[in-house]
Amino acid sequence: MTGRWVLAGKDGRLTAYARTENGLLRWTERVPGGPDWSGPDLFPADGLTDLAVGQGPDGYAHFAGRRRTRTEGAETVSYHHAVQYQSGRPMGPWESLGPLYRNPDMAHRGGPPAVAVDAQGAPHVFVRNAGRGIHVKRQDKKGKWAGWEDLRGSKAFEGVCASSDGDGRVRLAVPGEKGLALWAQSGPGGPLKKGEDIPYLAQDGSVRTLETAPGRVTHFWHAADGSGVFAYREGAGVLALGGGPAYGTVAAVRALVDGYDCTVLAHRAVDGRTALAAYPTEHEAAGLWWTAIGEECLESPALAVDAHGLVVIASISARGELLVNRQKDSSGLSLGRWQRF
């Protein structure tokens, strides 16, 4: 899954999502704060080769998928969207967003989707286009989808990171050959405007964006040369956070640790285990230390905060199980036992 694949619903329960060969898997906390989870529930979605998830201020989970089909030797790539409105409830039907281009030779070069939801609850689906720039498709207040819009950009990689902040302003961070390219809405519901490129090479698919102060975000990524995790925040520049070589997406969340507002980070190390670190939010100079936890897992870990304000770490095991660990209490980042579901 692309995006934050463990989400908190309006009822306080966490839900975890994963893509499987023939659809979407879902696990849901039985009560807010756990520790037990139900699932996995399977929602069929044949032919979807890539799935992304995003969430808006209304708590709805939006999914965007890329489907490849082959007819008489010709390959067609199209995009699709679905919504889950409440924790533990069925998903809505998949609706087609169509191909990126009418020309099939160009359409099959569209990249995996990323999705973010704005202040009005309108999803924005982003993909890398055939020219290695970025296209977006948005839904209006009445639920009607606009056409694909070219945001420009160049030499982009496929690992697009889309997010929205507490005000519902959509932000986009895209790694590429020239560094990290950024777009942002100047205000809720406004147009996406291109910012300056950050001239640091990020590993494709590793970028995560976290709101670290009202209206201010920090972008995290793995350096393409394997030198560790880096971060960028306007006004602070690029910051080295250590962590060594790794791959996959950097997970990030804010939580109370020892009474301090802290940023907790996690990623999948080269040995497949989860590496975890924390530091006072926006005070990277305080230093952070990475600790390996858990067992080898298939994909990048996810971080969330449960209904009791405790950090939850989730991974997908090599056997396809959901692995969950939880902060014991807010007096430190001490963890409990891993649970399998």
Side-chain angles (χ1 to χ4, degrees):
M1 295 290 294
T2 300
R4 298 180 183 277
W5 57 269
V6 175
L7 301 177
K10 280 292 188 181
D11 64 357
R13 290 187 292 166
L14 296 179
T15 303
Y17 304 95
R19 186 177 67 87
T20 188
E21 184 178 9
N22 56 350
L24 175 72
L25 291 177
R26 185 189 73 190
W27 295 262
T28 308
E29 283 186 321
R30 294 187 184 276
V31 297
D36 292 330
W37 296 62
S38 64
D41 302 313
L42 173 64
F43 296 90
D46 292 338
L48 293 183
T49 59
D50 301 272
L51 278 173
V53 59
Q55 187 179 40
D58 53 15
Y60 300 165
H62 289 258
F63 302 91
R66 177 173 67 166
R67 172 178 283 137
R68 290 183 180 272
T69 56
R70 185 174 291 275
T71 305
E72 298 180 354
E75 185 179 67
T76 301
V77 172
S78 57
Y79 295 89
H80 303 262
H81 169 260
V83 187
Q84 178 187 308
Y85 296 101
Q86 293 179 325
S87 301
R89 302 294 295 169
M91 286 176 54
W94 288 95
E95 58 178 329
S96 176
L97 305 181
L100 192 58
Y101 303 98
R102 293 183 179 178
N103 183 332
D105 292 335
M106 295 180 66
H108 84 275
R109 293 160 60 190
V115 59
V117 185
D118 71 12
Q120 286 74 44
H124 293 53
V125 177
F126 300 91
V127 299
R128 191 189 75 167
N129 59 36
R132 299 181 67 192
I134 301 297
H135 266 57
V136 62
K137 194 177 186 76
R138 325 168 195 235
Q139 194 179 60
D140 64 21
K141 296 178 182 179
K142 297 181 180 179
K144 182 179 179 181
W145 288 90
W148 289 102
E149 176 188 351
D150 190 352
L151 295 179
R152 307 299 177 182
S154 64
K155 298 184 178 180
F157 297 151
E158 287 192 336
V160 177
C161 173
S163 62
S164 55
D165 61 23
D167 292 329
R169 290 185 295 173
V170 172
R171 298 175 183 267
L172 185 68
V174 182
E177 292 182 16
K178 297 189 295 184
L180 192 65
L182 304 176
W183 286 260
Q185 290 179 321
S186 56
L192 283 154
K193 295 184 178 180
K194 179 78 166 59
E196 294 185 6
D197 291 341
I198 310 305
Y200 278 74
L201 296 181
Q203 186 184 116
D204 191 16
S206 69
V207 181
R208 171 70 72 230
T209 300
L210 178 69
E211 186 173 26
T212 50
R216 186 165 65 235
V217 300
T218 303
H219 306 282
F220 302 91
W221 68 87
H222 292 304
D225 63 3
S227 57
V229 176
F230 283 73
Y232 169 80
R233 183 171 58 254
E234 188 174 355
V238 175
L239 307 155
L241 303 182
Y247 50 88
T249 307
V250 179
V253 74
R254 286 172 64 186
L256 282 179
V257 179
D258 288 332
Y260 294 96
D261 172 9
C262 287
T263 294
V264 182
L265 303 177
H267 63 76
R268 188 178 183 225
V270 291
D271 64 359
R273 298 176 67 196
T274 295
L276 184 70
Y279 64 93
T281 297
E282 294 197 348
H283 290 278
E284 291 81 4
L288 62 162
W289 292 265
W290 294 90
T291 302
I293 58 174
E295 63 184 67
E296 183 177 353
C297 294
L298 288 174
E299 299 292 343
S300 305
L303 290 171
V305 175
D306 71 11
H308 303 308
L310 302 178
V311 175
V312 174
I313 307 167
S315 299
I316 303 297
S317 76
R319 294 186 291 179
E321 304 159 305
L322 176 68
L323 300 180
V324 178
N325 206 329
R326 202 176 299 258
Q327 183 185 10
K328 289 182 177 179
D329 56 61
S330 61
S331 63
L333 200 54
S334 177
L335 301 175
R337 293 183 178 182
W338 287 92
Q339 294 179 288
R340 298 174 182 271
F341 300 98

